[in-house]
Amino acid sequence: MARLAQTAGLTDIQEEILATVRTFVDKEIIPHAQTLEHGDTYPADIVEGMKEMGLFGLTIPEEYGGLGESLLTYALVVEQIARGWMSVSGVINTHFIVAHMLKQHGTPEQKQKYLPRMAAGEVRGSFSMSEPELGSDVAAIRTRAVRGDSGYTINGQKMWLTNGGTSNLTAVLVKTDEGAEKAHQNLTTFLVEKPEGYGEVLPGLTIPGKIDKMGYKGVDTTEMVFDGFEIAPEQILGGVSGQGFRHMMDGVEVGRVNVAARACGIAIRAFELAIEYSQQRRTFGKAIAEHQAIAFKLAEMATKVEAAHLMMVNAARLKDSGQRNDVEAGMAKLIASEYCAEVTQESFRIHGGYGYSKEYEIERLMREAPFLLIGEGTSEIQKTIISRGLLRDYQSRG
Ligand SMILES: Cc1cc2nc3c(=O)[nH]c(=O)nc-3n(C[C@H](O)[C@H](O)[C@H](O)COP(=O)(O)OP(=O)(O)OC[C@H]3O[C@@H](n4cnc5c(N)ncnc54)[C@H](O)[C@@H]3O)c2cc1C
């Protein structure tokens, strides 16, 4: 069972964390995932369990009360959680990205103010770049912050905000007037503190309600509407305006490794379900796993699971070693999400008609896998990043 997606060279601490999370996933997530997902119910008890295990502070430095673990540890934890239920990994993903951005780019005061409470899970992060008119084309952001005597006033609308209602600190990328020629140099990340919940949560700031999605249920995804919302200059990430694009791209880069890990988790689960079912289901006098057509499907699925896992681990290790990993993170995200969609589809086919029944887990995975083709940049955007990086490194001498 545990042959696939192994990772060589882990420390004892990493092994221990993973064993604890794996047990938690098997006992506390998998048995409840179907019911919670079908009811679109927020997994409050599971989230409490994750808080107790310290997962909200997994990558936050020890000096701020976290466990100070690496991106690799985080990604392997996420892979396990997504194997249980992808939505649960969504609860910690945006939190992890905001903590990373604060850790890398926050002022000393901002780190001190937020990171200890983020490590404890009291402050829960979300991040917002997308708008109704744009997702891939981040530099085209329209939501605008205008500087006044006492601070900034923000107007505009954000879209697709994961954990929009259940977070209380949102990193929001908006347009500011730096007068720079390039559009992306006129963007600034604000740290918006807000109460959890829906409706007008603060004067000038409304979280309208949950978007009804095809999958990725339980976790809330919302819009965020600014109408004359006032915010102090101290809430600019890093204290200097015009740096927001760079901050967000750094966050999204670790986010891509994380999405790759989620895709690996779903693919592992889809494979586990398929190999189990194919040994139980009999046709023409034998288990379907004994038909070569099905056995070959299993072989191909496992190979894809293994390849995606290795590329995800490689991208995480590169980032941990301090090297640039935009190309590798893009490749890992691309292959893991595409393979996840393929492996899930094959597992569904192996389940025959039962795969279409809501009683079987594969039905849920079929609705979850497509999100990973979109989140943190579509496959087309990954290919753009990868090819740009390759052309940079393999410049023609002709
Ligand atoms: C469930 C869910 C949760 C999300 N959570 C968040 C969140 O927490 N925070 C956040 O900021 N965003 C979030 N998003 C938004 C997500 O990042 C965007 O949906 C994604 O980046 C794609 O943007 P878009 O939907 O505007 O598609 P578009 O950018 O409009 O793209 C449409 C199509 O055109 C293709 N395309 C676009 N540009 C190019 C190009 N240059 N070359 C070739 N093809 C191109 C795309 O690949 C895609 O196939 C979430 C989305 C979903 C569905």
Side-chain angles (χ1 to χ4, degrees):
M1 182 72 93
R3 175 158 188 158
L4 289 184
Q6 297 299 301
T7 314
L10 296 182
T11 63
D12 290 347
I13 292 179
Q14 286 175 315
E15 294 283 10
E16 203 179 302
I17 292 172
L18 283 177
T20 308
V21 172
R22 205 174 294 127
T23 307
F24 180 79
V25 168
D26 287 336
K27 286 195 178 149
E28 308 296 337
I29 300 186
I30 290 179
H32 307 291
Q34 286 297 93
T35 311
L36 290 171
E37 204 266 356
H38 290 163
D40 199 4
T41 310
Y42 188 75
D45 291 344
I46 294 173
V47 171
E48 276 309 307
M50 294 199 299
K51 258 191 213 172
E52 280 167 27
M53 282 192 285
L55 293 189
F56 283 91
L58 190 61
T59 56
I60 294 177
E62 284 170 303
E63 60 179 303
Y64 299 108
L67 296 176
E69 274 296 323
S70 61
L71 176 59
L72 176 63
T73 314
Y74 178 78
L76 295 174
V77 164
V78 163
E79 182 182 57
Q80 281 304 319
I81 292 176
R83 184 184 138 256
W85 181 17
M86 196 270 287
S87 294
V88 177
S89 65
V91 174
I92 53 170
N93 170 43
T94 62
H95 178 86
F96 153 76
I97 290 178
V98 176
H100 173 83
M101 285 166 46
L102 270 162
K103 185 175 75 176
Q104 296 299 117
H105 309 289
T107 62
E109 294 74 30
Q110 288 169 345
K111 290 182 195 182
Q112 207 55 58
K113 184 174 176 192
Y114 294 118
L115 288 178
R117 288 190 292 143
M118 289 188 89
E122 285 163 25
V123 169
R124 299 262 303 280
S126 55
F127 79 96
S128 174
M129 297 194 291
S130 304
E131 298 186 357
E133 308 277 323
L134 64 101
S136 309
D137 189 6
V138 178
I141 277 176
R142 293 180 182 182
T143 299
R144 180 182 286 271
V146 176
R147 178 96 209 222
D149 291 339
S150 57
Y152 286 84
T153 304
I154 306 182
N155 283 292
Q157 189 179 348
K158 291 294 188 178
M159 183 75 189
W160 297 119
L161 184 50
T162 300
N163 298 309
T166 47
S167 59
N168 45 16
L169 179 69
T170 307
V172 187
L173 190 63
V174 301
K175 201 166 159 43
T176 41
D177 293 306
E178 314 307 320
E181 207 178 297
K182 295 191 173 147
H184 71 272
Q185 291 168 347
N186 293 310
L187 296 175
T188 299
T189 303
F190 280 88
L191 299 166
V192 176
E193 278 188 55
K194 66 174 189 64
E196 293 175 32
Y198 303 94
E200 188 167 353
V201 290
L202 287 174
L205 177 60
T206 302
I207 306 289
K210 286 163 59 165
I211 298 169
D212 196 10
K213 295 166 296 190
M214 146 187 178
Y216 198 20
K217 289 183 180 281
V219 61
D220 49 294
T221 306
T222 71
E223 295 172 46
M224 188 178 212
V225 183
F226 294 94
D227 184 9
F229 178 71
E230 291 183 7
I231 187 158
E234 294 76 52
Q235 293 307 105
I236 290 177
L237 179 66
V240 182
S241 62
Q243 303 293 314
F245 186 80
R246 190 171 59 83
H247 296 160
M248 281 283 178
M249 289 306 118
D250 184 30
V252 168
E253 207 167 284
V254 291
R256 283 188 182 131
V257 175
N258 161 76
V259 171
R262 291 156 92 176
C264 289
I266 293 183
I268 292 168
R269 187 67 187 154
F271 172 80
E272 286 173 358
L273 296 172
I275 199 159
E276 173 65 23
Y277 186 83
S278 63
Q279 293 171 86
Q280 305 298 331
R281 183 70 176 175
R282 296 178 70 80
T283 66
F284 302 95
K286 53 185 172 185
I288 59 172
E290 290 174 37
H291 299 299
Q292 194 182 51
I294 301 293
F296 277 16
K297 275 188 199 292
L298 293 172
E300 285 174 16
M301 289 160 75
T303 307
K304 287 177 179 171
V305 164
E306 200 64 2
H309 174 82
L310 291 172
M311 288 190 71
M312 179 273 287
V313 167
N314 179 51
R317 282 193 160 136
L318 261 181
K319 187 80 178 175
D320 285 333
S321 70
Q323 293 182 60
R324 184 169 187 170
N325 84 334
D326 55 342
V327 169
E328 289 74 12
M331 286 176 168
K333 199 269 168 180
L334 174 66
I335 207 158
S337 59
E338 293 287 348
Y339 277 178
C340 170
E342 290 170 21
V343 169
T344 309
Q345 168 87 232
E346 288 296 38
S347 179
F348 167 76
R349 288 172 193 244
I350 287 173
H351 280 75
Y354 290 101
Y356 214 66
S357 158
K358 285 202 152 193
E359 273 183 42
Y360 283 73
E361 233 177 297
I362 190 62
E363 163 277 328
R364 171 169 58 79
L365 305 190
M366 279 289 285
R367 289 182 288 106
E368 289 175 342
F371 166 61
L372 301 170
L373 298 166
I374 307 291
E376 314 287 359
T378 62
S379 291
E380 289 72 28
I381 295 304
Q382 304 312 317
K383 288 178 197 173
T384 307
I385 295 166
I386 295 164
S387 56
R388 208 179 278 155
L390 293 174
L391 288 166
R392 190 179 59 224
D393 291 346
Y394 287 82
Q395 269 184 29
S396 166
R397 296 199 192 98

